[in-house]
Amino acid sequence: REPRHRLLESVRLHARAMADREGSAAGATERHRRHVMEGAAAAKQLIGRDSAAGLRWFAESWPDVRLAASTCIAAGDRRSLAELIASCSTYAVLTQRFGIIDWCEAGLDPDDGDDPVAATEEHAVALATWATMERYLGRIDRAAHLLDVAAVVDPQPAEVLIGRGMAAHAAGDAEGCLTSLTDGLERPMDPANEAVVWLQLIMVEAGRGRETADHVHRLSVLAAGRGPVFRALHLLGRGIGSLASDPVQSRVDLQEAQVIADGLGTVVLSAQSRTALPMAAVMAGQPLEALALERDAIAWTSERGVWSMATAALGTLGLLLDGQGDTANAVTLISARIANGAATAFNI
């Protein structure tokens, strides 16, 4: 890797003052923005192939990414801001997600009076990305509103259809979810998005007690030879698909998916694996083990700000406690889940 160099803040401020006096600051700022945009686009291409390298670039470049976003916002450059958000959001950790949401509100706010129809496809994708972050933070109504606006801007991008499918699933609308995801598969999309669609389809169909073997096979074919992220997606899909038919193997698959996801630092994949593991224990007739796994899932997802999954896990824990005769705590936890408005991923 090439070495990275940082200026002392005092040196940076002095250099900026000189550039302002010489009239070269604007050009330098624009070159910096283009450089960061190119790096972000390259990092996005690493999703699924070498996500660890993309995550490393994003972590090291976060100060530059923030400055580039500020440049886009100050210039009113919605297209570049949208591209930057869509490129980087996959790698963002909790605190960075809040920062990205701030950029969205400053530069892409759908309620700022602009005509959404005049916006671009990139804007629609960025709104769908924003909605995903809001959904993971448990802000379901806000996410749904953003997806509605994204669909007005441009209903065609796969990211918009996937987002609408996941929002429908979170709201308990399985048919709406299946319709959006199936439509998404008919659009051009990168392999990472396609893998997410097949995984979501497996979740929905497994939750309805339907056969998932064909979806698991398609995910397996797509994942073959594409690296560890796709391996984790395949294991997660296979594990969820076999919860009822082979809970022992399901748990093995889910645990391996979790190990891979933890090693890559992919929070959402890790969270999905953790929230599925308790059900494998339940199906295997291990309710006490399921309780321990569910508590671990709640603690892990809460700590990392994946509130939608944490809240869903609260409801599942309530059901497990009810099965153990702890009705009072069960009612409290299930009520907390209902109050937070998040639906469990598996329609338990």
Side-chain angles (χ1 to χ4, degrees):
R1 290 162 50 197
E2 295 182 2
R4 296 181 65 86
H5 304 283
R6 297 287 183 197
L7 288 175
L8 291 172
E9 184 64 9
S10 56
V11 176
R12 189 191 71 79
L13 290 172
H14 177 66
R16 178 58 190 255
M18 290 182 62
D20 285 338
R21 285 197 300 271
E22 295 170 0
S24 60
T29 299
E30 174 59 19
R31 287 194 298 275
H32 176 267
R33 184 196 64 78
R34 287 201 303 267
H35 173 74
V36 173
M37 295 287 295
E38 290 169 1
K44 184 179 181 182
Q45 296 303 312
L46 294 173
I47 296 172
R49 294 191 293 110
D50 191 357
S51 294
L55 183 64
R56 191 164 54 244
W57 177 89
F58 185 67
E60 293 174 346
S61 302
W62 176 242
D64 294 315
V65 173
R66 284 190 305 178
L67 182 56
S70 297
T71 300
C72 294
I73 292 168
D77 187 352
R78 290 162 57 135
R79 178 186 289 270
S80 294
L81 180 63
E83 290 177 3
L84 189 62
I85 290 167
S87 295
C88 295
S89 300
T90 299
Y91 297 113
V93 298
L94 177 60
T95 54
Q96 293 167 342
R97 263 183 262 154
F98 282 116
I100 292 173
I101 288 173
D102 287 342
W103 306 343
C104 292
E105 291 175 342
L108 301 176
D109 188 350
D111 302 316
D112 63 3
D114 288 349
D115 179 6
V117 178
T120 63
E121 177 182 339
E122 290 84 357
H123 189 190
V125 172
L127 287 170
T129 303
W130 181 5
T132 298
M133 290 188 289
E134 295 282 12
R135 182 166 54 83
Y136 285 137
L137 292 170
R139 301 167 181 168
I140 305 301
D141 291 342
R142 179 63 166 162
H145 173 61
L146 290 167
L147 286 166
D148 287 343
V149 177
V152 173
V153 172
D154 190 340
Q156 300 304 315
E159 291 86 351
V160 175
L161 290 163
I162 292 170
R164 290 175 70 83
M166 290 183 172
H169 190 201
D173 180 5
E175 289 302 327
C177 175
L178 291 172
T179 299
S180 289
L181 294 177
T182 302
D183 287 347
L185 286 172
E186 297 176 358
R187 315 292 182 196
M189 69 174 74
D190 61 50
N193 275 334
E194 185 178 349
V196 169
V197 170
W198 287 117
L199 176 61
Q200 193 70 17
L201 286 170
I202 291 167
M203 289 181 176
V204 175
E205 298 291 32
R208 305 172 82 194
R210 295 184 177 180
E211 179 59 51
T212 62
D214 181 61
H215 296 339
V216 173
H217 173 69
R218 289 173 180 270
L219 181 54
S220 172
V221 172
L222 179 66
R226 291 188 182 273
V229 169
F230 285 90
R231 171 69 176 164
L233 284 164
H234 174 226
L235 287 166
L236 182 55
R238 191 170 72 183
I240 292 170
S242 62
L243 276 169
S245 60
D246 190 351
V248 174
Q249 183 58 47
S250 170
R251 185 168 179 179
V252 171
D253 286 342
L254 293 171
Q255 286 175 327
E256 186 177 348
Q258 178 187 314
V259 169
I260 294 173
D262 286 352
L264 293 170
T266 52
V267 173
V268 173
L269 272 180
S270 294
Q272 289 174 322
S273 302
R274 280 179 165 80
T275 52
L277 272 168
M279 286 311 301
V282 169
M283 301 302 291
Q286 301 170 320
L288 295 180
E289 179 70 9
L291 282 171
L293 289 168
E294 199 68 66
R295 287 191 172 100
D296 171 72
I298 291 169
W300 196 93
T301 51
S302 297
E303 181 181 338
R304 287 157 181 81
V306 192
W307 305 123
S308 58
M309 294 188 190
T311 309
L314 276 178
T316 307
L317 180 58
L319 294 175
L320 293 173
L321 288 172
D322 189 46
Q324 294 297 303
D326 191 351
T327 305
N329 279 326
V331 170
T332 299
L333 290 172
I334 293 172
S335 298
R337 171 179 171 252
I338 293 171
N340 280 280
T344 180
F346 307 111
N347 296 331
I348 302 166

